[in-house]
Amino acid sequence: MNPTLAAVAADRAGMPPLTPKMAGVVDRMARARNPPLYTLTPAEAKAAYEKGAGVLEVPKPALERVEDFTLPARDGHALPARLYAPSHEVLPFLLYFHGGGFTVGSIATHDTLCRVLSRQSGCAVVSLDYRLAPEHKFPTAQNDAWDALAALAKNAAQWGLDGTRIAVGGDSAGGTLAAVCAILARDAGLRLALQLLFYPGMTAHQDTPSHRRFAAGPLLGEPLITWFFAQYVHNRAERDDWRFAPLNAEDVDGVAPAWLGLAECDPVVDEGIAYADKLRAAGVAVDLEIYRGVIHEFVKMGRAIPEALQAHADAARALKEALQP
């Protein structure tokens, strides 16, 4: 289907149309005939996602500091992390959690995005390889995320970072982890400057209008979401835990200010809007951007989708304003 026909079809279905460039990418994805991740084993899905993750990324920006190290988890596991910084100065930092349904993704798959955020914001970025399903089920990812944040906040000087100016962020499932960390930080008395959330997963079940509207995708649809969650949770009841679904948190009073970047044509767009509303109702400052005509994971498509470049700039500006006021 060509971009024009894709737009017409979307209109007829009562869905917002994809931009012509987004429709072209979706069409190329369909013609590639790669098997959907949910038809693969978890190991095959991880490998397939790694292979395709950088295809539409912008060129990797060069940075003065790119360093690998580890952070301790509560059970003694050493969590791999990568530090990105544009200089050797003591900088404020963003702790970033990659997306991938708690099942796929890695530091490597989000290397370019973290470099871009560091380069454009002037801040350091620390990317975390939290443990993945199905080997590590709920709430391992949430625990790893919090343990990494606590360790960085306590020992920031060890890595030449400013532990008084910290943000958390992530995309998709990584956005869920960032939102959870923002609530845990409030409870622990750890002040965060910002939570930076790209199209985060926020609800327990796929029951919003946007989940129904985009059940068939493109890219992210009901079968893949169901498959991801089947890998991660032990049972359906765990999905009601607020650490899995931050919309279920009893209160979000006093959490860090938020920047949310959502994709209009995405199953999780409604829950992102609902979380922004929940934060605002609690008096939390929120900057909400909805990028029209694009799909889930668009921020990793900067070579083809101009909205990705705009989202990079918007997120980096929010980081800079929050961390370097």
Side-chain angles (χ1 to χ4, degrees), residues 102 138 142 176 204 229 232-233 238-239 241-246:
F102 307 107
F138 177 83
Q142 281 81 352
T176 308
F229 293 169
Y232 187 49
V233 296
E238 283 188 341
R239 292 171 61 166
D241 190 305
W242 73 267
R243 294 168 298 170
F244 182 86

Side-chain angles (χ1 to χ4, degrees), residues 149 166-168 178 181-183 185-186 190-195 255-257:
L149 176 59
I166 304 173
V168 292
C181 280
I183 296 171
R186 176 208 57 190
L190 172 60
R191 183 180 178 277
L192 298 178
L194 185 71
Q195 48 181 319
V255 303

